[in-house]
Amino acid sequence: MTTTPLGDFLRSRRAAVRPAELGLPDAGPRRVPGLRREEVAQLTGMSVDYYVRLEQGRERTPSASLLDALSAALRLDDDARAHLFRLAGLAPRDRGPHGTERVDEGLVRLLGAWPDHPALVYGRAYDVLAANPIAEALFGGFSVTRNLILLVFTDPHAREFYVDWPAVAANTVAGFRMRFGRSPDDPRITAVLRELLAGSAEFRALWARHDARGKAPEVKTFRHPEVGELTLRTQIFDVRGAAGQELVVYQADPGSPSADAVALLGSLAATG
């Protein structure tokens, strides 16, 4: 059977929806979890044969209205809906060619002006392109790798460093799936993907889920070898004029033990 990224994504999303969520009777045993193809076709008003052709890669040009109906039936959020439209060729991908990434000098200076807030800029494939001294101290100077997704899956200390490693891993892979969908021909993204698929069973399992979700503000807890645990809020900003670059700023709640740990981290950064 022919397979396509669009068909793979539809199968994964269909398997993730429980019939009860859509008010459908859960009658009889189901060979696979989630919705049946017939149910998706019924919910979207298309023929079963047409939907089967979509999943099998024999139909590759669905209309925008049909994708909207699929997005509703499969309960896709905004990120997953955008990913679906991109896979179907109805949303723009990032423009190539994909050359060497550089961070604007003004943004680098801005990072340096935040001595009390770890901040960094990463690129299309999660390579850390710039970081202020306190961020370098937080991540141990990125001694194993300066790529955030490779750090999660290949650094032997990652499971200790990220207190909630499973959630961090799942969110990072979902974000990487979005980036791959926007730039499937980007040589750096494909190189990182090949390395992860070859070297990490955990990554392969998460990649097979086809979750697609952009980075969002969240709370992360780190276990630092010198200052202990830090629970930090993250804010993520797109870098205008630099496709794929994002700025991440970490902040502790004022007056919290994590704020004291960040202050200590800043002292370590200031002394090298």
Side-chain angles (χ1 to χ4, degrees):
M1 182 180 66
T2 302
T3 184
T4 63
L6 175 61
D8 290 339
F9 184 66
L10 289 173
R11 276 191 294 275
S12 72
R13 296 309 90 191
R14 176 166 62 85
V17 180
R18 293 179 297 175
E21 295 179 50
L22 301 176
L24 296 173
D26 194 6
R30 290 179 178 262
R31 188 165 52 86
V32 294
L35 298 177
R36 297 185 175 100
R37 288 168 171 169
E38 296 81 359
E39 291 168 332
V40 177
Q42 176 187 350
L43 289 166
T44 55
M46 72 179 79
S47 71
V48 176
D49 179 67
Y50 185 87
Y51 181 74
V52 170
R53 294 204 308 271
L54 274 177
E55 280 201 3
Q56 292 181 346
R58 294 185 288 122
E59 172 58 59
R60 306 187 185 197
T61 57
S63 67
S65 60
L66 189 147
L67 294 182
D68 275 331
L70 281 170
S71 298
L74 298 175
R75 296 293 182 93
L76 302 187
D77 61 17
D78 288 344
D79 284 340
R81 179 180 177 276
H83 186 67
L84 173 65
F85 271 71
R86 197 170 287 116
L87 292 177
L90 294 181
R93 293 176 173 175
D94 289 347
R95 291 180 296 179
H98 304 291
T100 302
E101 295 182 283
R102 293 180 174 84
V103 180
D104 181 81
E105 292 182 3
L107 182 53
V108 173
R109 289 194 297 271
L110 182 62
L111 298 182
W114 294 331
D116 302 322
H117 299 293
L120 56 85
V121 177
Y122 56 74
R124 297 185 302 266
Y126 286 154
D127 293 306
V128 175
L129 306 175
N132 61 8
I134 193 172
E136 294 277 355
L138 173 62
F139 286 90
F142 300 97
S143 59
V144 173
T145 175
R146 292 189 72 83
N147 181 283
L148 293 178
I149 191 167
L150 290 176
L151 187 155
V152 171
F153 289 97
T154 66
D155 189 328
H157 304 294
R159 286 166 178 76
E160 181 179 357
F161 178 62
Y162 293 107
V163 172
D164 192 3
W165 184 89
V168 170
N171 288 336
T172 304
V173 173
F176 195 70
R177 171 71 71 176
M178 289 281 289
R179 288 168 173 268
F180 180 73
R182 286 197 296 263
S183 302
D185 300 321
D186 184 296
R188 178 57 182 160
I189 291 177
T190 55
V192 171
L193 177 59
R194 284 195 301 268
E195 183 174 350
L196 289 163
L197 288 172
S200 173
E202 294 95 336
F203 176 84
R204 289 194 296 272
L206 289 168
W207 188 250
R209 285 166 38 175
H210 290 269
D211 293 341
R213 186 171 55 253
K215 285 284 189 181
E218 58 184 329
V219 177
K220 287 185 178 178
T221 300
F222 304 90
R223 186 177 292 114
H224 193 275
E226 295 179 273
V227 303
E229 286 196 3
L230 308 90
T231 297
L232 305 177
R233 300 182 184 276
T234 66
Q235 295 292 333
I236 299 96
F237 307 91
D238 289 330
V239 179
R240 296 295 300 272
Q245 290 187 19
E246 291 185 337
L247 164 66
V248 184
V249 183
Y250 300 86
Q251 183 179 28
D253 288 341
S256 67
S258 292
D260 295 335
V262 169
L264 178 56
L265 194 65
S267 297
L268 294 174
T271 57

